[in-house]
Amino acid sequence: MTDSHAIQPSALDQLPDRDPEETAEWQASLDAVTKAAGPHRAAYLMRRTLERAEGNGIALPKLLETDYVNTIPTTAEPGVPGDEALERRITAWNRWNAAAMVTRGSKYGVGGHIATFASAAWLYETGFNHFFKGKEADGSGDQLYIQGHASPGIYARAFLDGRLNEQQLDNFRRESGGDGLPSYPHPRRLPWLWEFPTVSMGLGPLSAIYQARFNRYLTSRGIKDVSNSHVWAFLGDGEMDEPESTAALALASREGLDNLTFVINCNLQRLDGPVRANFKIVQELEAQFRGAGWNVVKSLWGSAWDELFQLDTTGALVRRLREVPDAQVQTYQTRDAAYIRQDFFGADPALVEMAKLLSDDKILECFHLSRGGHEARKVYAAYKAAVEFKGAPTVILAQTVKGFTLGEGFASKNANHQMKKLSVDEFKQMRDLLELPIKDSDFVDGVVPYGHPGADSAEVRYLQERRAALGGPAPARRTHALAPLPAAADKTFAAFDKGSGSQNVATTMAFVRLVKDLVRDKQTGRRWVPIVPDEARTFGMESLFPSLGIYSPKGQTYEPVDRDQLMYYKEAKDGQILNEGITEAGSMADFIAASTAYSTHGEAMIPFYIFYSMFGWQRTADQMWQLGDQLGRGFLVGATAGRTTLTGEGLQHADGHSPVIAATNPAAMTYDPAFAYEVAAIVKDGLRRMYGEAAPGEDPNVFYYLTVYNEPLPQPAKPAVAGVDEGIVKGLYRFNTAESAGLSPVANAPRIQLLGSGTAIHWALQAQKLLAEEWGVAADVWSATSWSELRRDALESDAALLRGEERVPFVRQALQGAEGPVLAVSDYMRQVPDQIAQWVEQDYSSLGADGFGLSDTREAARRHFGVDAQSLVVAALAQLARRGEVKATAVKEAREQYGL
């Protein structure tokens, strides 16, 4: 077991010591200073010595870097258990079938990636054979974040294992027939195999960190002991340029997530060329991860390099490896021995002499073939060191060759990411290199065959035995037969039906109050996961601090400054709240881990993530898609919503478009409730659908997005008429009529239907009164709780008609018989209410807050955007005037009267 404070091996472990006595004297001097003057004095002297060395031009690695050699010296490598010969043959079959699958698919023009898995094959195979725990292992098994472009290799292994057949491989990237394989890891498309969607690069590493952290959270809270689960994230060196890739490195080290390992495939290439043409990406990543507090293991060179390091008695080889830029290393991969002798060894007299001792074959073996990521022994040593290291997460930097074993036409070529096939001759060369028993006659009509040694072959038996020993197939996603969670008491939700009386309450506060009641539920309260990005006090959630506690693996090691207050800041090892600091991306990663715990861990958790609505979908919409792809369930809450509600904050805080973005996501159930009882009804129905008894045909794998407002307003009682609850859930119901509102327009008065969502319904209610009292117009007011759900239903109705089924959209049913035109309004851009326009039979028009936000009072902002009550009145009169139901002069009179 590795101690977190162990000395990291360096280049000295790779080189013979010319003067061991001198080395021992230096070490003894350091020991003596440490003993006599203490470690701080020793550290001071070491820093001063390093400064002097740098000032004298002595080339030393930076403090955050080690030399460009393997972290684990050859002499310290453990033996690989098992049958290495069989593992090589398994890997060879997988390499072949991955390349064959993509090549065969190229005739359909669907593309695919060959080179990534070719470089990473041993990184996966070593894990599958010796480390990755399956779902039958203790806890929940391991969580594997597979590099998206390596998916053909994972499919190839599943084919060898008997989990996929040839027809499925031939349907790679052709899913419409129902028996195809998605391009990349995609749980929604292949839910029995893939757990985590990773091809939106940068999100995999971020999610892996928060998944490892959520595993600790589950264990600490006593929900489930998953302390034996390990999270593995397979990443590309080019992918690490994405800001999300490194956004949470400090969190992982700060919380000591030694249940997490990053494996970065350093093939030195991104999509168009070198990752760091003039620099060294491995050294850069080492410094970055070490600086963040991670344990770093480099596996750069294969065993063929051992002889060269033994010959390097002056350190010239290590110095040269440190100075050669990555693009030149890539060039060596494609050049002959003479070029390498001149360009690499010719740079230093000591290396010239070394090269004289090396044959051309030896030089080519080292520079063309021998990389740490291509040898099971090197990879095994790195993985073993990672899982045994305690106190911090580990990153393994494994150097490989992109396109390895695919032939000279692929290896290290800048264009190999876009190269989708091999020729028959190239496949035959690959077959010979991998020593596979595939005959020339197997290539029928120029089509490359799939290869399989047989279901009862030694290779397949070995593969299956290893997986059985490790807890079953991997990767794999479980669909647990979980019992529905008990529903909360009806009184919890019904409490909001009576309204707030004379008290003004914002819908944000209504939601928080509802959650406070739900987390007290004796049966399901502990399953709620409140998530907030350092804005809990903004949303009135501070009262949850002392009762639920904020999760911290260290608990509370200090006395909080507000300890004498009722709602003090309380951290706890078993805290329920995840307060992530100022990171919407991290909060979303939390949400994704919690929302999929029903599958990953067989534990249904109910996350709600509350955030400034402007900074949710706009900043992290890609993660919302990841959430939908991963079949997550829970409640996203966009608080302080709307373009005119958040006074004084201005353009950058004024959300006029999040429902538009949310409407693009098929998994998002988007609601814009106006009243507290609507919030309660939506949450109640969401709990039923996602965690209780979903109705026939309902997909429980959805998530809810609610926009709530910070404007305190009277909360009315729920109308005591039939169909209100159904209308709230489906998206539209009539809140009142002119008559039920106590307004008495003249007989046969012109009538209009006012549809409003969220805070805009209050403007509609004001306009209803003005229309009746000042213009003799009767207006009915409707609450449109979800424009997008109305649209979703209408689209499904249209699709049903194409199938020959008679089906009327709900929005048309609801408005059937409603007199007069329809005028819709929201605190968002007009595109939001216009989602339903084509299915409304009445004359339809809308108002919205289009354009940039601005700082001002709510009243001034609403007048600026033309959505206040007076603007609604003018728009309503204009609509009625076009129909000849009011005089045209009324529109001008109203504009002048209201100062518009």
Side-chain angles (χ1 to χ4, degrees), residues 30 33-34 37-53 63:
L30 180 62
V33 171
T34 303
H40 296 295
R41 177 61 180 171
Y44 175 84
L45 292 176
M46 288 298 297
R47 286 197 301 270
R48 287 290 181 260
T49 302
L50 289 171
E51 289 171 2
R52 176 60 62 88
L63 290 175

Side-chain angles (χ1 to χ4, degrees), residues 185-199:
H186 209 304
R188 190 168 285 276
R189 290 300 184 203
L190 202 60
W192 60 268
L193 181 72
W194 298 120
E195 274 196 291
F196 307 108
T198 53
V199 88

Side-chain angles (χ1 to χ4, degrees), residues 792-811:
R792 191 197 306 268
D793 172 79
L795 290 172
E796 291 171 356
S797 297
D798 287 355
L801 287 174
L802 291 176
R803 297 191 299 268
E805 304 171 16
E806 286 295 328
R807 181 172 167 183
V808 179
F810 178 78
V811 64

Side-chain angles (χ1 to χ4, degrees), residues 574-687:
D574 62 348
Q576 192 166 349
I577 301 169
L578 292 173
N579 191 322
E580 291 302 355
I582 305 175
T583 168
E584 286 84 4
S587 299
M588 266 307 302
D590 264 338
F591 187 90
I592 292 170
S595 71
T596 53
Y598 73 91
S599 172
T600 308
H601 296 297
E603 296 288 345
M605 305 300 289
I606 312 172
F608 80 87
Y609 164 36
I610 188 168
F611 50 87
Y612 266 91
S613 67
M614 183 67 166
F615 304 141
W617 283 88
Q618 176 167 302
R619 286 191 177 177
T620 57
D622 199 12
Q623 287 178 284
M624 273 74 164
W625 278 94
Q626 181 188 13
L627 166 65
D629 292 347
Q630 203 166 315
L631 288 77
R633 306 170 184 174
F635 296 95
L636 297 175
V637 183
T640 61
R643 181 148 279 164
T644 69
T645 303
L646 187 58
T647 57
E649 296 287 357
L651 184 154
Q652 292 174 336
H653 286 64
D655 173 22
H657 52 276
S658 70
V660 177
I661 307 174
T664 65
N665 192 306
M669 310 288 292
T670 305
Y671 288 89
D672 186 25
F675 305 124
Y677 67 79
E678 293 178 354
V679 172
I682 293 164
V683 172
K684 180 181 181 180
D685 190 70
L687 290 171

Side-chain angles (χ1 to χ4, degrees), residues 91-419:
T91 306
W93 285 117
N94 291 340
R95 287 181 181 279
W96 176 272
N97 288 323
M101 175 174 54
V102 176
T103 297
R104 287 167 66 123
S106 66
K107 67 181 179 180
Y108 300 106
V110 295
H113 300 286
I114 302 178
T116 295
F117 178 73
S119 68
W122 276 113
L123 302 179
Y124 291 106
E125 288 302 323
T126 303
F128 284 131
N129 288 326
H130 300 287
F131 291 95
F132 303 158
K133 295 187 287 292
K135 297 301 180 185
E136 303 304 323
D138 291 344
S140 302
D142 288 355
Q143 287 83 54
L144 308 180
Y145 287 78
I146 304 294
Q147 193 178 2
H149 294 144
S151 61
I154 308 304
Y155 291 140
R157 195 173 209 275
F159 170 66
L160 201 66
D161 192 15
R163 294 202 288 164
L164 292 175
N165 57 42
E166 286 194 18
Q167 181 180 348
Q168 289 171 300
L169 295 191
D170 264 350
N171 285 332
F172 174 60
R173 291 196 169 195
R174 295 193 297 142
E175 300 177 74
S176 60
D179 197 27
L181 302 178
S183 310
Y184 305 121
H186 209 304
R188 190 168 285 276
R189 290 300 184 203
L190 202 60
W192 60 268
L193 181 72
W194 298 120
E195 274 196 291
F196 307 108
T198 53
V199 88
S200 189
M201 289 191 286
L203 299 189
L206 179 69
S207 294
I209 290 174
Y210 281 90
Q211 181 66 58
R213 198 287 198 87
F214 188 75
N215 289 358
R216 290 282 174 85
Y217 171 90
L218 282 181
T219 302
S220 296
R221 289 197 54 219
I223 302 292
K224 183 178 183 180
D225 184 359
V226 292
S227 54
N228 288 327
S229 291
H230 200 88
V231 178
W232 299 82
F234 288 83
L235 318 168
D237 47 0
E239 180 179 6
M240 300 311 294
D241 282 346
E242 290 283 7
E244 297 89 350
S245 295
T246 55
L249 297 187
L251 167 72
S253 62
R254 184 170 65 244
E255 300 203 1
L257 298 182
D258 49 24
N259 61 337
L260 170 68
T261 298
F262 276 15
V263 181
I264 303 182
N265 177 14
C266 297
N267 56 37
L268 313 185
Q269 287 183 253
R270 54 189 180 200
L271 307 190
D272 290 332
V275 177
R276 294 290 184 272
N278 295 297
F279 305 93
K280 302 190 80 62
I281 185 59
V282 168
Q283 300 299 85
E284 178 183 320
L285 291 174
E286 179 183 28
Q288 190 170 15
F289 277 87
R290 283 197 194 283
W294 286 53
N295 175 44
V296 179
V297 177
K298 294 195 292 191
S299 183
L300 307 181
W301 308 111
S303 56
W305 284 82
D306 290 348
E307 178 184 342
L308 274 68
F309 287 122
Q310 288 297 315
L311 295 173
D312 186 26
T313 58
T314 66
L317 176 62
V318 172
R319 289 194 299 272
R320 182 67 177 139
L321 289 174
R322 189 167 64 235
E323 69 188 22
V324 175
D326 284 352
Q328 192 62 23
V329 173
Q330 182 179 337
T331 297
Y332 293 147
Q333 180 70 32
T334 64
R335 300 301 175 87
D336 59 19
Y339 178 89
I340 298 171
R341 285 182 186 276
Q342 178 179 349
D343 190 87
F344 182 83
F345 291 98
D348 187 293
L351 294 180
V352 172
E353 293 303 312
M354 179 190 294
K356 292 177 181 179
L357 304 175
L358 304 174
S359 67
D360 285 355
D361 287 344
K362 181 65 177 180
I363 288 175
L364 293 178
E365 180 186 13
C366 288
F367 284 85
H368 285 192
L369 303 175
S370 190
R371 298 290 187 275
H374 294 323
E375 293 188 15
R377 183 183 179 93
K378 304 293 185 184
V379 176
Y380 182 87
Y383 285 8
K384 190 171 188 293
V387 297
E388 293 180 353
F389 193 90
K390 299 303 176 186
T394 294
V395 59
I396 295 169
L397 304 175
Q399 186 162 269
T400 66
V401 175
K402 195 166 187 177
F404 189 66
T405 72
L406 298 181
E408 295 180 359
F410 263 85
S412 284
K413 294 297 176 66
N414 282 336
N416 61 21
H417 193 79
Q418 273 66 45
M419 297 162 69

